[in-house]
Amino acid sequence: MKASEPWERAGDKIRLQGFNLELWKYEGEPGSLIPLLQAAQRDYSYIPEAAIHYISDIVGIPPAQIYGVITFYTQFRLKPLGKYLLRICNGTACHVNGSKLMGQVIEDELGIGVGQTTEDGFFTVQSVACLGCCSLSPVMVINEDTHGRLDPRKIRKILKSYQSAG
Amino acid sequence: MVTLTIDGIQVTVPPGTMILEAAAKAGIKIPTLCNSKRLIPFGACRVCVVQQKGRRGLMPACFNPVRNGMEILTNTPDIIKARKIQLQLILISHPLDCPVCDAGGQCELQNLVYEYGVSENSFKGEKANLATDHVSPFIERNLNRCILCGMCVRICDEVVGANEISFLNRGFKMKIGTDFDRPMNCEFCGQCVSVCPVGALNDRMFLHKARPWDMKETQTICGYCGVGCTLTVGTKNGRILRVRGDESRGVNQGTLCVKGRFGWEYVHSPERLTSPLIKKDGSFVKATWEEAIGLVVKRLKEIKSEKGGSAIAGLCSPRLTNEELYSYQKLMRGVLGTNHIDHAGGYSYAAPLALRESLGYAASTNSINEIRKADVIIALRSDLSETHPVIKSEGVLAVKRRKAKLIVVNSRNIYLNKFSAFNLLVKPGSEVALINGMMQAILQEGLAKEEFVSSRTEGIEALKQSLKNYSPEKVEALTGVSRASFVEAARLFAKAVGGVILISTGQASEKKDRDLALAASNLTLLTGQIGKENAGIFILGEKNNSQGALDMGLTPGWLPGYANLGNPSERERFEKSWKLSIPEQEGMGALSILQAAEEGKIAGLYIAGENPLVAYPDSSRTKKALAAVDFLVVQDCFLSETASLAQVVLPAASFVEKDGTFTNADRRVQQVRPGLYPPGQARPDLWIFQQLSKSLGYKLNDPSAKAVMDEIKNLVPLYGGIDYARLDNPLGLQWPCSSADHPGTPFLYEKDFPAGKGKFIPVEFEEGPAETESPWFLITGPTMVHSGSLSLMSPGLTRLQGESYVQVHPEDARKLGLEDNQKVILRSKQGQITVKTLVSWNAAPGLLFVPCHFGQVGGNCLTGRDLTITKVQLEKV
Ligand code: SF4
Ligand code: SF4
Ligand code: SF4
Ligand code: FES
């Protein structure tokens, strides 16, 4: 566990700082596991180990089982999002216009596939169904910026510019 | 009842029975890969499919209950084809590394593949390729062999309640694991290993040791705690290779704890004593049995003739068999002429004796397997996951399957609270006040079982009188528990269909144990939770034969079978049979023996299996007392701390090297069978007692354990029908069993109490003397991993927990600025120890816990012999 994580160790339990105390209202309600995990992910961009223990205390489900649930659903992350969230569109138009190849280029450039985050914590790559700007296909969005009419060269250039911007 | 036919055979079974069990009853075996009778059906593997005549499609037999008139087929070509396909699907990713797999020969997958002749696979796919877990203690995980039956996950949840492992990921990546795939860090009970049908979870100690069919397997009884689990001990070439539980045998039904399953290594410890030792000029030299016994006999004879039998005393461990314990007290009383004999420090059996006063018998009232059927359970000062893990599983079954309510009464936040409806955190030592408060609430609310009280009990008026002092307000102040919660707990217990109280005994004060047991007995009498199934009081002894030691008269005042020593006719009965005379005077208990030794009044002390220096309170005083004895003989498997002070040491056999019987915490007499010969010159305790007696000029009894039991059954009516031939069954026999045709007694007091009525015996709560200089309450006790000195000789167990510690509550730690794992000094009037801290929410504020094992740094260096609550000071190093 990284030291920068918002947790505090007290004895054999881990306490999470800044975690929404209101959540204790779910105490003893196993059914509220999913909303709690979503809340943790919203607050921290991922689900920290400490949150698993904390939520385990609240709902009374053991950590191993919660970990099982997290790894079952693709919506949950166990690592922080990268600084830049790169979402590559896989809608019909983009698909027809070569989004698969673009995905491959990104994978070659960054060394990670969809759903992963680079070692340096810079990029997280996700694939989305349609970004709603089909006229620009193939398209990717990095944080708030849309990049359209992609080709391999363009992708390399864009990624470089983010990398050098730091 | 429901009647159906299976492959043309008619069976009648209770409604709710699954087709699978009904088939078993009809003698038809349906293959399964994800089913165990210990688990709730799951329906994952689908190899158990069967067909209902007249219907299309197949259904899992494990998952579908019987219905009247069903006609089930289990062996049609369609079914066989479907099963083959299931097996082929499993084999897609299975590595088939059978030649190096420890499950080979007892693998259910291998057996089915063989039986169904699955030699080809038209399905193609990748083999699983996951790293093997070489790190977790005791358990090796090779998940490439996993068939995702989920039995490990389910047993860890449903029976153990630890939930250490879970299904991770989904689809093809699905596997079994812990959170973040860390190494296992759990109870290491090995239940998961025992249910795994393939070689995915393995007993690490057994890895590559033997093929199952190459081993001899012996059914015997665990030598650690009072639950009395049946062990199946696998041996080869004179060594234990594996211990497992057999789900069709014993009260444990296959469940074991870490000590029972993995704690046997001490049997093969190089430190085992293999020859008698005699101390010469301060150091031990090896001797023959003739020399050693000759010396013991000579010295004891001298002492007896010079100072009389009363200068001789004996302490014996409740780890020995009934036959040995009986023979020991016969030897001491009749041959050596002393009643100064005791066991387990003399402080561990006040609770059963208290029940004898109020109810009639000095034992648990009901059977262990009834606990899982109770609907309200009070764990009274009982840290069951540490002291009796398999009883904890009974509680888990009750809570998880039957939605029973568990009420925990303890001064620490024990682990059991994970399952409790009420955590009644009492001030140390105030349990009795709490129970009194509960009874008062029951009376106030008119919840007492009037009819039961009036027809079957006596003394209710005195109880009512004494309970007047226990108003909710007062009890709240005495115990620190909010009245709302204990009053609600009282209501629950009073209204329960089956209410059970569990009391574990051992490292607690004698006075407190008696009061606690009487308070519990009052509560059950008041609410009618006694004399019926799935209710009653359990006294859970610390050692494997705690109950037997009491039954066999290993106490200063009771002869075998609770015959009163002070009663001349009772004494005569034994004297006549033994052709010996028994001293009239009641003897001294263990702590008085030590006191007398300190004063120079005990010249000869014969200790068998006990280790007072570690196990008794106030170690430094015990040491002084033992040093003051002229002639100390110690008989043990190891050169214990106590044995090293002896003049003569006699090497004893361990429990897997002898036969006899143990009586467990539900009065169950069970047969102990040898799987090995003792190492070197070590001998069973029975043999040693008989040799000693012979040299003293008296034939103690016929040599075999069986013959001794025949002698016992003639003298002890409770054991009247206990016979080795009858004991050869998976569940033993529960006393009282008065005659050869008596079936044994699963629960007591169904029709009446031995004295006619159950007695209310009011107990008052007395606050311990307020000691103010030392701020911290100290609680000592066993831990799950250890039990006295034997477990410390098992390397696997000491790797899990190798040193003493003091458990501190995080809030206290914060106040004191203490870190985890920091050295501190604990000081009491009796002594001091230096230990490391373990900061844990399981402690309670203001209260420290130190395990009672670990000799020189164990809790008993701090406790006092007066056995009231100990308080200590804590300093940082
Ligand atoms: S050893 Fe026991 S506690 Fe640990 S995972 Fe297996 S079943 Fe669960
Ligand atoms: S490890 Fe064994 S018991 Fe657990 S799911 Fe796999 S095959 Fe079943
Ligand atoms: S120590 Fe007790 S609970 Fe554990 S296996 Fe032995 S008898 Fe069973
Ligand atoms: S045993 Fe019935 S589905 Fe596995």
Side-chain angles (χ1 to χ4, degrees), chain B residues 647-661:
Chain B
Q647 273 75 48
V648 179
V649 178
L650 305 174
S654 74
F655 80 105
V656 266
E657 297 152 358
K658 59 186 173 191
D659 49 14
T661 56

Side-chain angles (χ1 to χ4, degrees), chain B residues 536-745:
Chain B
I537 305 175
F538 288 81
I539 304 288
L540 305 166
E542 188 175 15
K543 298 292 190 304
N544 52 318
N545 205 17
S546 291
Q547 184 65 48
L550 215 47
D551 298 346
M552 292 301 116
L554 225 92
T555 48
W558 303 100
L559 289 160
Y562 306 89
N564 192 344
L565 183 85
N567 179 338
S569 73
E570 288 279 41
R571 219 170 42 239
E572 226 168 79
R573 186 159 66 85
F574 284 88
E575 290 178 326
K576 260 202 196 128
S577 150
W578 296 349
K579 306 197 178 55
L580 291 168
S581 66
I582 301 172
E584 282 169 33
Q585 194 71 31
E586 175 170 336
M588 291 186 285
L591 298 181
S592 309
I593 291 175
L594 291 183
Q595 173 83 34
E598 225 173 296
E599 291 159 9
K601 291 183 197 145
I602 298 293
L605 182 57
Y606 182 10
I607 298 183
E610 287 265 280
N611 189 5
L613 213 44
V614 174
Y616 291 16
D618 201 345
S619 309
S620 68
R621 248 181 99 185
T622 306
K623 190 163 187 179
K624 255 187 253 155
L626 294 176
V629 173
D630 292 342
F631 187 64
L632 177 64
V633 187
V634 176
Q635 175 171 321
D636 205 315
C637 296
F638 290 97
L639 194 63
S640 63
E641 288 84 346
T642 305
S644 58
L645 299 176
Q647 273 75 48
V648 179
V649 178
L650 305 174
S654 74
F655 80 105
V656 266
E657 297 152 358
K658 59 186 173 191
D659 49 14
T661 56
F662 293 152
T663 307
N664 81 342
D666 66 2
R667 298 169 277 107
R668 195 178 298 275
V669 185
Q670 306 190 95
Q671 213 176 338
V672 179
R673 301 176 185 87
L676 299 172
Y677 292 107
Q681 297 298 308
R683 291 291 177 267
D685 296 271
L686 182 62
W687 182 91
I688 305 174
F689 299 145
Q690 290 176 339
Q691 294 304 308
L692 265 175
S693 186
K694 197 167 113 196
S695 303
L696 284 160
Y698 177 80
K699 182 181 172 204
L700 202 54
N701 24 43
D702 284 328
S704 72
K706 180 182 182 309
V708 180
M709 184 47 84
D710 289 342
E711 185 180 330
I712 293 170
K713 80 174 177 204
N714 287 328
L715 284 165
V716 176
L718 293 176
Y719 284 63
I722 307 277
D723 184 297
Y724 273 37
R726 291 188 70 195
L727 287 181
D728 201 6
N729 76 60
L731 281 169
L733 268 175
Q734 285 170 287
W735 69 247
C737 175
S738 52
S739 59
D741 53 5
H742 191 291
T745 314

Side-chain angles (χ1 to χ4, degrees), chain A residues 8 10-13 15 49 52-53 62-65 67-68 71-74 78, chain B residues 162-170 177-181 810 814 839-842:
Chain A
E8 159 194 33
D12 44 10
K13 288 226 174 127
R15 293 278 168 210
E49 184 178 348
I52 297 180
H53 287 269
Q65 235 161 298
Y67 186 81
T71 53
F72 183 83
Y73 292 105
T74 44
L78 286 159
Chain B
N163 297 92
E164 176 70 359
I165 42 180
S166 179
F167 284 105
L168 310 182
N169 307 327
R170 67 197 292 176
T178 56
D179 36 314
F180 295 92
D181 248 338
R814 195 170 335 196
V839 179
S840 167
W841 292 94
N842 287 349

